Structure formats: structure tokens, C-alpha cells
Amino acid sequence: MIIGRWPAAALCGVLAALMTGALPATTAAAEPVGEQRETEPPKVQLVLDVSGSMRERDIDGGSRMAAAKQAFNEVIDAMPEEVHLGIRTLGANYPGDDLAKGCVDSEQLYPVGKVDRTEAKTAVATLSPTGWTPIGYALRGAVEDLGEGDGTRRIVLITDGEDSCGQPDPCDVARELAAQGTHLTVDTLGLTPADAKVRDQLSCIAEATGGTYTAVQDTDQLTARLKQLVDRTAEVQVENPTVIEGSAADCADAPQLGAGVYRDREEFDEHRWYRVQVAPGRELRASVSIADDRAVDRDYGVLLRALDEDGRELVRGSEAGHGRTDVISTGLRYPSDAEEERLVCLEVSNSFSAPDSVQRTPGMPLELTVDLVAAPDTPPDVAAFGLARGWVPLGLLTLTGLLAGLLWGAIRRMV
């Protein structure tokens, strides 16, 4: 991994689409040579909105708070032994109108660690809808709760509304988190049906960190999704970065990679190429982070592209910045719909520049994360970031309606 203050962001794409499981690929053409290790247990922090609006009774005839408590209790009972759990609240304590107080109303309800099921459920039982919705502030607190380390770290935010404070902006905080650690992902669950503002904000948070967004419709769906995310935290394995050298020429000369974390170096305004074999039914998720380890000019960017063997672009991820930064990251996701194994070329390029006095070599530290998982099989209320969606189900519905109409007309004529 990029050492010191330059840990990469796992934009696994990156990342934001829902996944049914993050299992390692079984058909990688080249496996990382680095030794795999998990130095710390996987950690998941549940961040629960306890603001006043959670009193609304529009989920299974009960309140949103009741649905959340039921889901939490079931998830706690089913918690894998190897996963360390923590719970943080936002809006649980201050009921007044003072903006300054309401926007720092977030606390750790249950410390991250091995789960005592009785204690955790007792803590959840004490909650009652109260105050504001300081999402950005709570996310920063959740990261502190999780601590540092090489283990998998996941934050799951459950809320029924958008941030009510404005500062810090939750999307900006999510981008900060994306630059702080390769193994940190934020997933979001929205309890407000058909609210575009809430959906946009929660999607932004998830997408920035390579997580997922789900619009929850009932208690069963909330419970199932929480369990799925916790189980995925237990399944993800963290690997030591493997030192590689991407091709500066083209894809044909590029090293072939399997699922893993890789370290390389890239000079200013350079292009680097890598190759990945994607099996049928698998989704490629890739993210890249470049550390700004020297004095550079104020404007910069990073671009990650996935292309086929003929050079046609399949999908891309990009990020740009202005001013001083420690690391800049982006990611992409590509689900293979091919019937046979497909070669995908990954191209990493940057637009860093610097005064003539700045040394160009060695290049800036680059960290590339490659993951190959089962292609998503998700409900229609799930956001799949970076993927074209919408026209296929619409076409199927249209065709179904047409056939149903023809059949009904034939039956009417026969009667």
C-alpha cells in the first residue's frame, strides 16, 4: 500500500452499485505474488440516524426507528464471530434549535470490537428519535471509531434524510475518506421513499468511496441488506501490495493482473497499462490512487480507463483537483456480459505537472486495486455507479406489455 500519509482509496469502484457478494475470482489468469495477510479483524461501523424525522410511521405500519431497531437486533444476532462491530448515532441527544449544538450531535453508542450481543442490543433499545441530521460530522467520527490498520473497514450509514447542517458537506467528507485508506468503504441505506435529494446525497457518499446505495422499502429489506454488507466485510481479504511495473507503451506489453493490490510508480503526464482477464458472470472493479509526494502545480487529475483488446473504451473513472493534496483517487466498475473470458486493458494516466526544478524520477507512488466479484444481481431500487442502466428493463416491460395486449385482444375476439 502507499505508505505514510498516502494510503489509497478503495474506489472499487469504487466506487457504488450493489453487489451480492465480494468473493475472490476463481479464474484469474495471473495472481499477485505478494503474500496475503490480514493483520487486523474486519471492522464494520453502523451509523444510525436518530433524528426527529425517524418518528415517521411509513415502514410496515410502524416508525422508521422501529424498523431500524428490529433490523439492528437481527444483524447483531447474526454477526460473524470474526467481525468487529461498532455503532454510532447522529441526532440522538439534542432536541433544540441551536444549529451549532445540533450539528455536532453524534456519539459512539457501542465501541468497535468483538460483539457482546446483549450489550449491543440493550444500547440500541435506548434510542429515541430526537434531533438533527449531521451526516458529514458523523462520518468523520465513524472513521475515528474504526481506527487505522490494514484490515477491511466498512461504514454503513442508515438515514431517512439528507444532511441538515451543510458543513461539513457529506460528499466532501466521503471524498476525504476515499483518500485515507484503501480498505475503507461507505455504504448508504435510505429510508425515505422517492426523495430525490436524499437519493442524490446518499449516492454521492457511496460512489465516492466505492460503496453502494440502497433505497429501503420495508423492514425485511433493511435487515437483509445490513446482513449482506456485514457478511461481505467478513469475506473481503486484504492483500499486501505487490510491486509491479505497468507498460508505458500499450496494453499488449502490459503485465497481467489478478485480483489484488499493486504498487507502481508513474511520472508526470504518463500513461501506464495493465491487463486483467474477466470471466463470464464476473464484475471487474478497479481503483487507482496517486500520491502527490513532491511540489506540483496547482491543477491536476487522474484518469482510469477500461478498454477492450481493440482499444474501445468500456468505462472510465476520473478525478481532478486544484491546490495542495496528498493523494488523488478514482475508480471504475465493469460487469462482463461476454459468454467467454474477456481481456480488459486498464490504462492509468495523470495530468500532474511541476516546475522545472522538481525532480521527475522516480515517478509518483501509484496504488492499483483490482477486484473480480460475482456480477451484481440487485433489485431495481439499487444504485449501480458507473454502469449504464434503465433501458434494458424498460424494453423488457414494453415487450411484455405488447405481448400481453395481443394475447388479451385474441381472447376477446374468441369470446
Side-chain angles (χ1 to χ4, degrees), residues 131-352:
W132 297 60
T133 314
I135 293 177
Y137 181 83
L139 288 177
R140 283 181 175 168
V143 175
E144 294 180 3
D145 298 341
L146 288 169
E148 299 181 353
D150 295 329
T152 302
R153 298 182 298 159
R154 182 181 299 276
I155 295 172
V156 183
L157 170 66
I158 304 98
T159 180
D160 69 338
E162 61 181 329
D163 184 280
S164 58
C165 296
Q167 295 297 326
D169 181 270
C171 287
D172 289 342
V173 172
R175 296 184 186 104
E176 292 174 8
L177 304 187
Q180 288 180 8
T182 299
H183 313 305
L184 177 64
T185 303
V186 181
D187 297 283
T188 57
L189 304 179
L191 305 182
T192 307
D195 190 316
K197 289 185 178 180
V198 174
R199 182 184 183 96
D200 289 346
Q201 185 170 88
L202 296 184
S203 295
C204 174
I205 293 169
E207 183 175 7
T209 60
T212 60
Y213 162 73
T214 307
V216 175
Q217 305 299 324
D218 53 50
T219 306
D220 288 344
Q221 186 184 9
L222 175 59
T223 302
R225 186 63 186 141
L226 278 175
K227 286 182 178 178
Q228 186 183 55
L229 293 172
V230 169
D231 289 344
R232 184 177 307 146
T233 304
E235 291 168 353
V236 172
Q237 293 181 323
V238 178
E239 299 175 359
N240 284 331
T242 301
V243 178
I244 57 173
E245 184 175 352
S247 170
D250 54 36
C251 183
D253 298 325
Q256 191 157 303
L257 310 180
V261 183
Y262 302 90
R263 185 189 304 160
D264 199 354
R265 284 188 175 269
E266 186 172 71
E267 296 185 15
F268 296 147
D269 205 27
E270 188 179 18
H271 297 250
R272 288 264 167 170
W273 293 87
Y274 312 88
R275 297 154 58 96
V276 180
Q277 292 289 147
V278 183
R282 310 299 290 183
E283 179 178 275
L284 166 64
R285 298 175 189 167
S287 64
V288 65
S289 296
I290 298 179
D292 170 15
D293 63 346
R294 63 203 74 180
V296 299
D297 293 333
R298 292 178 59 84
D299 297 300
Y300 45 80
V302 60
L303 172 66
L304 175 63
R305 296 201 302 158
L307 305 97
D308 64 17
E309 291 184 87
D310 297 322
R312 290 187 292 265
E313 183 175 292
L314 303 172
V315 66
R316 66 166 57 194
S318 63
E319 187 61 67
H322 175 76
R324 175 63 184 162
T325 187
D326 287 336
V327 66
I328 184 169
S329 309
T330 191
L332 58 79
R333 307 171 68 157
Y334 171 68
S336 177
D337 56 1
E339 295 182 356
E340 299 180 351
E341 191 171 63
R342 183 173 194 177
L343 176 66
V344 175
C345 303
L346 292 177
E347 179 192 20
V348 178
S349 56
N350 74 82
S351 58
F352 278 94

